[in-house]
Amino acid sequence: MDLVNHLEGRLLFAVPKKGRLLQEALNLLEGADIQFRRENRLDIALVKNLPIALIFLPAADIPTFVGEGRVSLGITGRDTVAEHETGVESARRERAESGSTTPTEGDAHQGCEEIMDLGFGACKLQVQVPVKGPYSKPSDLIEKNIGTSFVHLAEDYFAQLEKEAGISSGQGPRKLKTKIIELSGSVEAACALGVADGIVDLVESGETMKAAGLTPIDTVVSSTAVLIKSKHPTNPQLVDLLASRIRGVITAQKYVLCQYNVHRDQLVNAVKITPGKRAPTVNSLEEEGWVAISSMVEKKKIATVMDELTEVGAQDILVLNIANTRTG
C-alpha cells in the first residue's frame, strides 16, 4: 500500500508510540469512536470511519511536528510542549540578539495550541539532588553540573536562578555559569555515576528517584497529558469534531448518571444534593406527589451523594455509567 498517497486529504493526528501515555491515549481514541488497526507496529494507521491518519511518534517529538504544522493534532505531555515552546522562543531570541536574521511571518504561524487537559499522565518535572549530598536548595546548584533531557526548560530555570542571585550570565541568555548536560535516558543515574551534581527530570510516583538516592528540592513544571493542535490545521472542522468527541469521553469518565424517585416535598433538598452539570431533569410520576430525577454526578462523590439522598427520603436510586456525552 502506498501510504503517501493514502495520507492525501487526511487529517494527521500524532499519538505517543510508546511509554506512559500510549495506552491511555488509545483508550481515549476508542471512546471517541476513532476506528483503526495498526499493522505490524507500523507508525502510521489509517482511520476507517473518518478521514484521519494516526501517526505514532515519540511523545517528546510531537510538539515539534504539531508546532511546525506537519501534523494537525497531537496527544502528548504538557512538559514536552513547554520544552518545545521554550526551545523555539530561545532560538528566536538568540537570532534576534545576534542580528543574523529577523523574525519572519512564518514565526507567527508556528507553535502549538493546547485544546484541553486530558486528565491522565500526571507528573512533575523536578530538580532532584542526592539525599546525602551537600545541596538542599536550588541556588546551591548554581555553577554545578545538571543532567537532564529537558535542556531548554533547565536552561531557563537556572538562568532565572542566576539572575536572582546577581550572577552575570554573559552576553546571551544561554551563557550560563551552570552547566546543563543533555542526557537522553536514565537521567536518575547521572548523580550516582558522577556525571552531574543534580538533575532535572520527570517524576510520577517518585519511587525511581528514591531508589536512586535522590530527593526533590523544587518543581519546574507540573504536567499532564494534553490535546494540542497546530495553529493552522488542515481541516479545522474535523479538529473541532474530534475535540468535541474527546471532551465527551473525558466528561463521561468523570461522571455517572444518578436516577432516583423522591417526594415533591423534598425536591428542593434533593436538587441541592444533585444539581447536575447545568440542572437536573425532573419528571412527574404517576404516583401523586412523587417525581423522578436524573442528574449527572461526579463519580468520586457518588457514594456520599447516595447517602445524602437516602437521608432526604429518595428511593429507587440507580447509578448508571456514561459511555460518552456532549455537554455545554
Side-chain angles (χ1 to χ4, degrees), residues 67-111:
E68 293 180 354
R70 308 287 182 176
V71 299
S72 294
L73 272 177
I75 292 175
T76 189
R78 185 175 283 130
D79 52 293
T80 64
V81 176
E83 172 71 4
H84 170 73
E85 296 294 320
T86 303
V88 170
E89 180 58 32
S90 172
R92 185 180 296 130
R93 188 167 56 238
E94 288 182 357
R95 289 199 309 269
E97 289 178 354
S98 67
S100 59
T101 59
T102 57
T104 64
E105 284 188 26
D107 287 341
H109 300 304
Q110 292 186 349

Side-chain angles (χ1 to χ4, degrees), residues 172 185 244:
S244 178

Side-chain angles (χ1 to χ4, degrees), residues 20 123-124 126 128-131 185-192 199 201-216:
R20 61 190 180 87
C123 59
K124 294 179 179 179
Q126 292 186 324
Q128 297 259 344
V129 296
V131 174
S186 300
V187 177
E188 71 278 1
C191 294
I199 65 169
D201 200 20
L202 217 52
V203 179
E204 292 181 73
S205 67
E207 293 304 315
T208 300
M209 296 302 174
K210 287 180 183 177
L214 300 172
T215 187

Side-chain angles (χ1 to χ4, degrees), residues 220-231:
V220 179
V221 173
S222 292
S223 181
T224 186
V226 292
L227 180 68
I228 58 174
K229 70 174 181 178
S230 162
K231 289 187 176 180

Side-chain angles (χ1 to χ4, degrees), residues 27 54 96 110 121 136 145 177 201 205 207 268 276 287 296 309:
N27 294 343
L54 300 179
Q110 292 186 349
S136 60
N145 297 325
K177 301 294 185 183
D201 200 20
S205 67
E207 293 304 315
V268 173
E287 186 173 349
M296 289 175 65
L309 287 174

